[in-house]
Amino acid sequence: MKTAYINTPVGLLELKGDAEGLASVLFKDVENVVISEKIPTELRDAASQLWEYFEGKRKEFNLKLSPEGTDFQKKVWEQLQQIPFGKTMNYQQMANKLGDPKVIRAAASANGKNPISIIIPCHRVIGSDGSLTGYAGGLHRKKWLLEFESPAPQQTLF
C-alpha cells in the first residue's frame, strides 16, 4: 500500500492505494506530516484528479476504487457516488434509494465510515431539515465543500 500527502484548500489529505485502486482519502490534522514531493505512481491519477477538482476543472472522478468495508457499506458508498456535483441528498432519501426506508441509521453509519473522502462524496448527504450533520472531516470542511460545489455561489451585497 502506497501513501501520499497532498495539500488542498480544505487541508492535508492522506491518499492510500495500490495497483488494485484507491483505498482511502482521509483528512489529516497533524502538524508533523510532510507533503509528498513525489507522488507514487499508484496514486498519481487520484492526486491529479483531486487537484483538478479543487481548481474547479473536474466535477466527476474517474478512478479505480478499492475501499474496504462490508457489502452493505459498499452499497451505500456506491449510492453516494450517484449524487451529482452541486446536489445533496438527505439520509432518508438515501435509505429509500437503497430500497428500505428503515435502514436510515445503518446508511448514516456506513456514510460516516466512508474511507474515500471527497471522491465518494459523503459530504453531499445532509439532514432531513437541510442541516449539516456529522462529517468525519469536520463540519467546517463539509460546509466548505458544499459551498464550493454550489451551482449558485453567494454574492456579496457590497
Side-chain angles (χ1 to χ4, degrees):
M1 189 76 55
K2 302 290 183 172
T3 303
Y5 295 93
I6 63 171
N7 202 11
T8 73
V10 289
L12 190 65
L13 290 176
E14 175 191 77
L15 285 60
K16 285 190 176 186
D18 56 24
E20 298 301 312
L22 187 64
S24 67
V25 174
L26 301 173
F27 295 101
K28 290 295 173 183
D29 289 320
V30 291
E31 306 214 356
N32 58 352
V33 174
V34 178
I35 304 295
S36 301
E37 290 184 30
K38 187 173 190 307
I39 307 291
T41 304
E42 297 85 348
L43 300 173
R44 284 189 191 143
D45 280 347
S48 176
Q49 289 188 33
L50 280 163
W51 285 321
E52 289 171 357
Y53 167 85
F54 285 114
E55 291 170 353
K57 297 176 182 174
R58 176 174 292 277
K59 294 183 179 184
E60 294 179 12
F61 293 93
N62 182 19
L63 296 165
K64 185 176 177 185
L65 305 179
S66 65
E68 288 189 22
T70 66
D71 288 343
F72 180 77
Q73 288 171 333
K74 289 178 182 179
K75 188 176 176 183
V76 170
W77 301 336
E78 287 170 12
Q79 185 63 51
L80 289 170
Q81 293 176 75
Q82 304 307 310
I83 306 171
F85 183 95
K87 302 289 184 190
T88 58
M89 174 184 290
N90 66 46
Y91 290 102
Q92 187 63 64
Q93 291 169 320
M94 174 176 283
N96 294 346
K97 285 198 176 261
L98 290 166
D100 185 352
K102 293 179 267 187
V103 300
I104 186 168
R105 289 179 193 254
S109 176
N111 190 53
K113 290 181 173 72
N114 170 25
I116 304 181
S117 299
I118 302 169
I119 295 168
I120 297 178
C122 55
H123 62 277
R124 295 180 187 153
V125 181
I126 59 174
S128 295
D129 62 358
S131 64
L132 298 186
T133 55
Y135 185 61
L139 288 180
H140 66 289
R141 288 188 178 112
K142 183 172 188 164
K143 182 178 187 290
W144 190 96
L145 290 165
L146 291 174
E147 287 176 354
F148 175 73
E149 293 183 358
S150 174
Q154 292 293 320
Q155 302 292 321
T156 57
L157 296 175
F158 304 100

